[in-house]
Amino acid sequence: MRTLYHYPLCPYSRKIRLILAEKKLDFAAEVERFWEKRPDFVKLNPAGQVPILIDLNGSVIADSMAIAEYLEDAYPERSL
């Protein structure tokens, strides 16, 4: 299953949650307290920012613009 590391109040995370919902893609949402700088989280994104998406194929994508472009290219069935 796709995993989205996000923070509920982050507008960039919200954008990705909306895109995933519009494309009807299942995902597990993991709330990340990015200010804690967990070592496992920093390994995923050295910048320590949310959102981060881990796709079904294991791809790790950081930054909301990059995630949005990736989702549009990888899942063109429901174009935004």
Side-chain angles (χ1 to χ4, degrees), residues 44-70:
L44 294 173
N45 182 5
Q49 298 174 340
V50 291
I52 297 174
L53 178 72
I54 301 176
D55 203 9
L56 299 173
N57 61 8
S59 297
V60 177
I61 306 101
D63 185 65
S64 65
M65 286 296 293
I67 295 170
E69 287 180 27
Y70 172 81

Side-chain angles (χ1 to χ4, degrees), residues 4 9 14 30 34 37 46 48 57:
L4 176 66
L9 298 177
R14 183 173 189 267
E30 297 287 332
F34 55 91
K37 304 283 186 195
N57 61 8

Side-chain angles (χ1 to χ4, degrees), residues 5-6 8 11-13 16 18 21 26 33 39-40 56-57 59 61 63-64 68 73:
Y5 290 90
H6 73 108
Y12 305 109
S13 296
I16 300 305
L18 287 170
D26 292 333
R33 294 183 186 106
D40 291 339
L56 299 173
N57 61 8
S59 297
I61 306 101
D63 185 65
S64 65
D73 291 342

Side-chain angles (χ1 to χ4, degrees), residues 8-51:
L9 298 177
C10 171
Y12 305 109
S13 296
R14 183 173 189 267
K15 175 174 113 176
I16 300 305
R17 290 192 309 267
L18 287 170
I19 290 171
L20 288 165
E22 285 292 323
K23 288 187 165 285
K24 299 193 185 314
L25 298 172
D26 292 333
F27 67 99
E30 297 287 332
V31 174
E32 183 62 45
R33 294 183 186 106
F34 55 91
W35 59 88
E36 292 177 357
K37 304 283 186 195
R38 287 185 317 110
D40 291 339
F41 179 69
V42 174
K43 284 180 188 174
L44 294 173
N45 182 5
Q49 298 174 340
V50 291

